[in-house]
């Protein structure tokens, strides 16, 4: 029988530097009140000089390995979901494997924008279920602060940096992904785009002068698309799992906008207490947002063995992905693992969740 791919380790890393809405209101014409009520975001983390997608991913991965009690040499494959890699080439996955000391592992990047972690989770699970690999490190990481026009108030208030990682391991026990939905729709290609720097529009003095290397976004179009697509994708994954929406114990959505999350919850009739939200602290960390929320949901005692979690994201492309995952690990492992205590155990300021209409 094909093995299951269960999560045996998990970790996250958020850069130390906190950028608050009030600070942003001194940089562009905005206010804490506008940002908090339109998005739910109160602050975000910004990578320090010298921090990159690789260093953030390595920090999160070390925690995941410590929680699993795994050695870097156990890892067969590293998949990094990111749209803000260190370089166009080589792949960040290669650099992460090297810095972890995972010298047996193959590494590659997977680009599906904010859906990157969900797509990578489905991909990693397939490798384990096929019998090809036993331990796959799946990472979502972004340093989008380097791809933002800090004078454009319509985008610079939204994004933040961070990383989340899980170790998927082969198991004969039930658990892991029960259902999946992945979609892409290139009709939305222009709605969220970094127009310059690829083969369509190589970097030149003109593209740099026109801010072509930054994120450009038609926010209202994305908002409309996301609210519809996230709800549809949720239902598709739950159908694929052969269960009902009420069988889901916790919903962990991409933390892009609290109003989007609330709208999806309302459309689907999901009780608020089943929806995990941490957008107020980190903003939209793109591919990192779902694994960071997962790690914090586990740390907050919101997830116990046997629980069924629905994780879902949407992003540039458009892309969307949802997964129903049965959690099997003991959440306490995170607090017992020596390497992980420093990050998960660090005292975190409690922020009042922003009111959203
Ligand atoms: N502060 C103050 N005013 C602002 C700001 C700001 N930071 N940003 C925009 N405004 C203004 C606009 O200029 C506009 O003014 P106008 O009416 O005079 O033209 C007004 O506020 C309303 O703008 P809208 O765009 O209609 O505001 P909306 O309520 O739609 O909120 C937002 C904008 C938050 C961007 C919303 O559209 C959104 O969240 N969209 C989804 C974005 C997203 O989730 N992207 C994720 C995918 S990203 C990825 O995959 C990498």
């Amino acid at each position: 029988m094909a093995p299951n791919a269960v999560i045996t380790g998990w970790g996250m890393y958020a850069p130390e530097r906190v950028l608050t809405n009030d600070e942003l209101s001194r940089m562009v014409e905005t206010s804490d009140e506008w940002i908090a009520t339109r998005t739910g975001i109160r602050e975000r983390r910004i990578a320090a000089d010298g921090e990159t997608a690789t260093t953030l991913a390595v920090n999160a991965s070390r925690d995941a390995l410590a929680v699993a009690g795994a050695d870097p040499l156990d890892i067969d494959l590293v998949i990094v979901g990111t749209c803000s890699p260190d370089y166009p080439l080589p792949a960040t996955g290669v650099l992460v494997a090297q810095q972890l000391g995972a010298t047996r592992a193959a590494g590659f990047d997977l680009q599906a924008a904010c859906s990157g972690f969900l797509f990578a989770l489905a991909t990693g699970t397939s490798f384990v279920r096929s019998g090809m690999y036993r331990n796959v490190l799946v990472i979502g990481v972004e340093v989008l602060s380097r791809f933002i026009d800090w004078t454009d108030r319509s985008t610079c208030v939204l994004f933040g940096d961070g990383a989340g990682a899980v170790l998927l391991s082969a198991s004969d026990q039930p658990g892991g992904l029960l259902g999946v939905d992945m979609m892409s729709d290139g009709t939305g290609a222009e709605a969220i785009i970094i127009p310059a720097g690829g083969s369509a529009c190589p970097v030149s003095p003109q593209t740099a002068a026109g801010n072509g290397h930054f994120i450009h976004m038609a926010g209202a179009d994305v908002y409309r698309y996301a609210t519809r697509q996230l709800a549809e994708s949720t239902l598709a994954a739950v159908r694929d799992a052969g269960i009902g929406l009420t069988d889901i114990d916790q919903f962990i959505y991409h933390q892009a906008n609290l109003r989007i999350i609330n709208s999806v919850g309302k459309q689907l009739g999901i009780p608020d207490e089943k929806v995990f939200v941490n957008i107020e602290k980190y903003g939209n960390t793109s591919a990192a947002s779902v694994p960071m929320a997962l790690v914090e949901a586990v740390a907050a005692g919101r997830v116990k063995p046997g629980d069924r979690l629905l994780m879902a994201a949407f992003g540039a492309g458009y892309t969307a992905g949802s997964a129903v995952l049965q959690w099997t690990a003991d959440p306490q492992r995170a607090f017992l693992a020596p390497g992980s205590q420093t990050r998960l155990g660090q005292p975190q300021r409690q922020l009042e969740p922003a009111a959203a209409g």
Side-chain angles (χ1 to χ4, degrees):
M1 220 179 67
N4 288 312
V6 301
I7 293 180
T8 52
W10 56 97
M12 63 171 271
Y13 176 77
E16 268 178 38
R17 165 80 166 102
V18 175
L19 179 64
T20 64
N21 289 350
D22 283 334
E23 283 176 87
L24 274 168
S25 70
R26 293 192 287 276
M27 295 160 57
V28 290
E29 204 183 323
T30 190
S31 64
D32 175 51
E33 195 269 335
W34 193 97
I35 301 169
T37 53
R38 301 284 178 126
T39 71
I41 301 166
R42 306 298 289 269
E43 59 188 39
R44 69 287 294 139
R45 301 298 181 92
I46 304 295
D49 290 348
E51 286 192 313
T52 68
T54 295
T55 68
L56 268 56
V58 165
N59 285 336
S61 300
R62 288 209 173 110
D63 270 11
L65 292 177
V67 171
D71 188 275
L73 291 173
D74 296 335
I75 305 170
D76 300 302
L77 179 66
V78 176
I79 309 177
V80 176
T82 188
C83 54
S84 48
D86 285 21
Y87 310 104
L89 63 90
T92 301
V94 174
L95 306 178
V96 171
Q98 191 250 333
Q99 290 195 18
L100 284 174
T103 49
R104 280 196 328 104
F108 66 84
D109 294 0
L110 185 156
Q111 216 277 52
C114 301
S115 310
F117 177 76
L118 268 308
F119 280 38
L121 191 66
T123 306
T125 296
S126 304
F127 275 109
V128 174
R129 285 204 184 139
S130 74
M132 186 164 170
Y133 291 131
R134 290 194 66 77
N135 292 298
V136 179
L137 187 61
V138 176
I139 302 165
V141 61
E142 302 290 2
V143 186
L144 283 174
S145 60
R146 310 255 160 87
F147 298 85
I148 284 168
D149 176 356
W150 288 99
T151 64
D152 174 9
R153 69 177 181 174
S154 70
T155 53
C156 76
V157 302
L158 302 176
F159 297 100
D161 301 335
V166 299
L167 184 67
L168 288 179
S169 303
S171 170
D172 297 332
Q173 302 302 311
L177 285 201
L178 306 180
V180 143
D181 176 62
M182 287 161 59
M183 64 78 65
S184 61
D185 174 4
T187 62
E190 307 262 305
I192 316 169
I193 190 167
I194 298 177
S199 58
C201 182
V203 177
S204 69
Q206 289 75 20
T207 62
N211 287 340
H213 50 300
F214 293 136
I215 293 177
H216 295 249
M217 186 174 74
D221 294 347
V222 177
Y223 186 96
R224 269 191 299 277
Y225 194 90
T227 44
R228 198 186 69 236
Q229 195 55 47
L230 269 183
E232 275 179 22
S233 186
T234 298
L235 293 175
V238 166
R239 245 189 337 265
D240 189 48
I243 59 174
L245 259 189
T246 50
D247 296 319
I248 302 291
D249 299 289
Q250 199 68 215
F251 292 79
I252 299 173
Y253 281 111
H254 174 35
Q255 308 287 306
N257 185 321
L258 184 58
R259 281 158 63 216
I260 294 177
I261 296 173
N262 287 345
S263 161
V264 173
K266 206 164 149 199
Q267 286 176 67
L268 298 176
I270 304 168
D272 286 351
E273 63 273 16
K274 282 194 173 185
V275 181
F276 187 78
V277 173
N278 66 356
I279 191 172
E280 67 279 4
K281 292 190 290 184
Y282 304 116
N284 180 351
T285 56
S286 188
S289 107
V290 168
M292 287 172 74
L294 172 66
V295 170
E296 289 209 338
V298 174
R302 300 274 289 261
V303 178
K304 50 185 195 315
D307 277 2
R308 294 183 183 116
L309 315 179
L310 184 288
M311 299 183 281
F314 69 95
Y318 295 112
T319 57
S322 298
V324 177
L325 180 127
Q326 185 161 25
W327 187 265
T328 53
D330 176 3
Q332 291 299 324
R333 288 192 67 94
F335 302 107
L336 302 175
S340 77
Q341 275 185 347
T342 49
R343 294 192 191 94
L344 281 183
Q346 74 189 344
Q348 303 214 346
R349 271 183 305 138
Q350 291 298 311
L351 292 172
E352 289 297 316

